[in-house]
Each structure stands twice: as structure tokens, then as C-alpha cells.
Amino acid sequence: MANASSPLRPSSHWTGWGQWLALITMTVDHLTRYVLPWDLSWAGSSIGRIAFPLFAAMVAWHGLFNTRNPLRYSRRILIIGLVAQVPYMLMPRASDALILNVCFTLASGLALGTLVRQGWQHYQQQTLGFGWLLLGAAVGVTLWYLLGFWVEYGHNGLLLIPLLMFAMHALSQAGPHFQSRLWAGLAAFPVLWIAGQMNASDMAKSFTVATCLVVLILAAGAARRIAPVQLAMPRRLWLAWYPGHFMLIALWLLLSGQLAI
């Protein structure tokens, strides 16, 4: 667990609460969309819009503060996505186009954010030349552009984690001086802007932006005020819930005659 007194590794207690909230809001979104017979689209446009930015924020936070190898962490998320992809593809959709589930978005976003951060650090340490830095940036932009057509939440979703990592670092390092706080505030702005581009309705945009704003406030120092969650999320439940709940929904749709295989 992170040390709350360290400026580089702020307290991560909030992520224990965030895990429960992310799973609950995601499940509400998918149940109202695929299972429940009533029109509860308002739930998906409100409660359901908390899930993705919260998952993205926790991935960015752990990748930034709580793991020595963010790329290995990204690979673990990718494995969950691979397991979940088949039941995810069985969900009823307006389009038949192949879309990779949100774990691919989270894993790719973390990998892109990590590589950008590591490249910049090597450049500052003069172990990487400016030409190589530009080449790496061009490759990263190309990968972002190509992947954005295939993953859930698209180009904006892929950008959210790198922007969160940048903003979280700036906010956690902000000192008492005006310039430092101004820089941290400017670093937070792109997160809120991209969050506002990710959904169609005003309600959905509001919940997504509000979720990101709360996380940024936590990164600015409020995280130290969050007490540990009393009932920690079991690790196996956390890893299995995303693919598992899609499997159960697919089984329900199959048994109810709404899904033909």
C-alpha cells in the first residue's frame, strides 16, 4: 500500500472503494442494457457512465504509483480482455463491426501512457536522443490512431489513461507556489475535456466529467483523507467479474431465446 506521506506515492485507499463502485456501476449499466425488460436507458446514461472513467483512473493510478512494471500490469489486463472477448461479442449490438472490449482500451492506454512517460524520462536523463524521442512519439500516435477504430470508447478512451497519468503526477507533485499549482491545474484540463467528448448525451457527459474531476481532486491531496475500505475486494472476484458477468448475461440471453448461437 502506498505511503500517504510520500509525495510520489500518495495513499491508495480510495481505490478499494473505487473497485466496488466500478463493478457495481458497470453491472448496472449492462443489466439495464441487456437483461432487464424495462426501458432504463437513464441508468446507463448516468450511473453507468461512472464505470469506465473510474476503471481508467484506477489503472492510471496503479500504473503511476503502485507498480514497478506498468507494462506487465497492462499485460494482465489484456489477458482478462482476451478471456472476456467471446462473451462480450455475444452481447446484442446496433452494429456488427468487431470491437475489442474495454480491457483492450485500458491495457493499450496504460501501455501508451507508460511508454510516453518512460521515453520522456530517458530524454531528460540524456539516455535518449531527441530524434529517437520524435520517432517514438510518431509510432505512438500511429498506434493510437489505428487502435482507436477497434477498441471500446475509441480514440478518446485510449487517450484518457495517458492524460490521467500526466495530470495525477502533476497534481500529486504540486507544491505551495502559484506556478506549481497553475501547472497542475493546466495538466488536469485535458482530462476533463476528453471526458466530455466520450458520450453523446449531456447527462452521460456530466457523469463522466464529474467522475474524472473527483479522481483529480483525490490526486491533488484529498486521497490522504480516505479511510481504507472495510470489506476489501477479493482478488479472484476482481479478476473474474468482467468476463464472468458477460458469460452469465450471455447464458441468460440464450436461455430466454434472445440469443441464437
Side-chain angles (χ1 to χ4, degrees):
M1 186 62 65
N3 183 353
S5 64
S6 170
L8 294 177
R9 298 186 63 193
S11 171
S12 296
H13 289 159
W14 74 269
T15 61
W17 299 94
Q19 286 180 319
W20 287 110
L21 181 58
L23 289 194
I24 290 170
T25 53
M26 177 188 69
T27 304
V28 167
D29 181 22
H30 294 164
L31 287 178
T32 56
R33 190 185 309 181
Y34 303 124
V35 176
L36 299 180
W38 313 288
D39 181 10
L40 297 173
S41 56
W42 62 267
S45 296
S46 55
I47 298 171
R49 296 309 95 199
I50 295 172
F52 175 71
L54 191 53
F55 277 118
M58 289 188 290
V59 167
W61 187 278
H62 289 311
L64 190 62
F65 299 121
N66 293 336
T67 179
R68 295 180 180 178
N69 193 336
L71 294 179
R72 184 171 61 185
Y73 178 31
S74 175
R75 290 195 296 270
R76 291 202 300 267
I77 300 172
L78 186 60
I79 291 172
I80 298 174
L82 289 170
V83 174
Q85 184 61 23
V86 171
Y88 172 80
M89 291 171 63
L90 294 175
M91 298 299 104
R93 302 188 184 282
S95 172
D96 293 330
L98 173 64
I99 295 295
L100 300 174
N101 66 66
V102 74
C103 288
F104 288 85
T105 313
L106 297 173
S108 301
L110 176 59
L112 288 172
T114 299
L115 292 174
V116 168
R117 190 163 179 264
Q118 290 178 350
W120 180 250
Q121 288 174 341
H122 282 296
Y123 175 71
Q124 287 183 313
Q125 296 165 6
Q126 299 183 343
T127 57
L128 182 70
F130 184 68
W132 287 107
L133 182 68
L134 287 179
L135 178 61
V139 171
V141 170
T142 302
L143 290 174
W144 164 78
Y145 179 77
L146 294 176
L147 281 171
F149 295 107
W150 295 94
V151 297
E152 194 172 5
Y153 291 99
H155 294 96
N156 291 331
L158 287 173
L159 276 179
L160 187 59
I161 290 179
L163 292 177
L164 278 167
M165 293 175 72
F166 177 64
M168 287 173 173
H169 177 77
L171 289 166
S172 67
Q173 297 289 300
H177 302 296
F178 173 76
Q179 288 184 335
S180 175
R181 292 182 178 274
L182 177 62
W183 170 247
L186 292 175
F189 175 77
V191 174
L192 301 178
W193 184 85
I194 209 72
Q197 309 304 308
M198 291 176 57
N199 298 285
S201 71
D202 290 339
M203 179 185 291
K205 290 176 185 292
S206 298
F207 274 81
T208 302
V209 171
T211 302
C212 290
L213 180 60
V214 169
V215 172
L216 293 174
I217 292 172
L218 291 169
R224 70 175 66 97
R225 301 178 181 273
I226 306 298
V229 65
Q230 297 302 310
L231 179 60
M233 173 77 67
R235 178 173 174 79
R236 291 183 180 179
L237 178 64
W238 177 243
L239 296 176
W241 189 269
Y242 186 74
H245 90 288
F246 274 134
M247 293 177 186
L248 291 175
I249 291 174
L251 180 61
W252 169 263
L253 295 175
L254 179 63
L255 294 176
S256 62
Q258 301 179 55
L259 180 65
I261 299 180

